Amino acid sequence: MTPTNNAGLHLADFSLDALQCSEKGYGFAEFRQLPKARQLRWPDDVLEQWVFDHAGHDPFLNDYGEIDLSGIDWQVETLPVEDFVAMPTGPSDGDAIECYEADPDHSIAVRKHGVHMGVKLCWETHGTWKRWPIVLDRDLINPGDQGLQLVEGRTRVGVLRGRMLRGQPIAERHLVWIGRPSKRSAT
């Protein structure tokens, strides 16, 4: 997919930058210093999980390519577990949550090295994830829509749903990054 011509910054505008930073070996540390990335003024965790990790991922480009990323403000919020039961993800990866839900213990067990160290411990101790998923106000995806949509964290939400279905301990509330329409763009 080629960069969009619409005003603002879009996911495809970062595809080549993310690839080059990954291939050079400097990774996210270099990517976050690029002028376009700094222009977003996003929390590093959101920038890394969504833009750096997925700018070249076709399903993400299909589902979120039209969104002006510069029109999103981010906050950490807590959501009750019930909100995740029916929360959709993008149509291109629409069945991903259910795949992880089917075997949550496996999804936890394979995440034990590098940045994933402590994932199992977080689930066992706190009944929640180690790293906060990325969620969008659906109005950003399709103006006029209400509710929230999971952008990144399909494994985490699948594990949550699977543990809930199996009667395994889970927290009543969970931290997430929520992107909402920017107040900067409204003025």
Side-chain angles (χ1 to χ4, degrees):
M1 181 172 246
T2 57
T4 181
N5 292 327
N6 299 342
L9 290 169
H10 298 80
L11 197 56
D13 297 329
F14 295 92
S15 295
L16 185 57
D17 294 325
L19 177 64
Q20 288 175 340
C21 289
S22 292
E23 287 179 349
K24 284 190 218 173
Y26 295 110
F28 181 68
E30 179 183 21
F31 181 82
R32 67 188 286 272
Q33 296 302 322
L34 297 174
K36 281 188 288 193
R38 291 176 57 193
Q39 183 181 342
L40 286 177
R41 298 184 284 182
W42 282 15
D44 280 353
D45 195 35
V46 177
L47 186 66
E48 182 177 16
Q49 285 191 71
W50 187 11
V51 181
F52 179 70
D53 289 348
H54 296 293
H57 187 57
D58 285 338
F60 277 71
L61 292 166
N62 291 336
D63 295 343
Y64 308 109
E66 298 300 316
I67 297 172
D68 177 4
L69 302 179
S70 61
I72 303 174
D73 285 335
W74 295 96
Q75 293 292 321
V76 174
E77 298 183 26
T78 60
L79 294 178
V81 69
E82 295 80 19
D83 285 7
F84 295 101
V85 172
M87 186 182 294
T89 191
S92 297
D93 280 334
D95 62 346
I97 295 172
E98 289 77 12
C99 290
Y100 298 115
E101 177 183 305
D103 193 356
D105 295 332
H106 171 75
S107 296
I108 292 170
V110 298
R111 284 165 176 77
K112 58 185 173 188
H113 302 289
V115 298
H116 298 296
M117 286 181 71
V119 166
K120 182 177 180 181
L121 188 59
C122 284
W123 282 108
E124 290 173 352
T125 305
H126 304 291
T128 193
W129 33 71
K130 178 181 170 187
R131 193 173 192 192
W132 309 330
I134 310 298
V135 174
L136 279 182
D137 181 323
R138 291 184 54 78
D139 186 53
L140 288 162
I141 301 163
N142 187 26
D145 277 5
Q146 295 184 1
L148 299 172
Q149 180 165 314
L150 180 69
V151 173
E152 171 51 13
R154 295 169 306 280
T155 303
R156 288 164 270 184
V157 171
V159 166
L160 176 71
R161 289 182 186 180
R163 287 177 64 88
M164 185 172 66
L165 288 171
R166 292 171 178 219
Q168 295 172 312
I170 55 170
E172 292 181 21
R173 301 188 65 79
H174 302 268
L175 292 168
V176 293
W177 286 106
I178 297 184
R180 301 195 187 276
S182 177
K183 292 177 174 66
R184 292 175 282 167
S185 62
T187 56

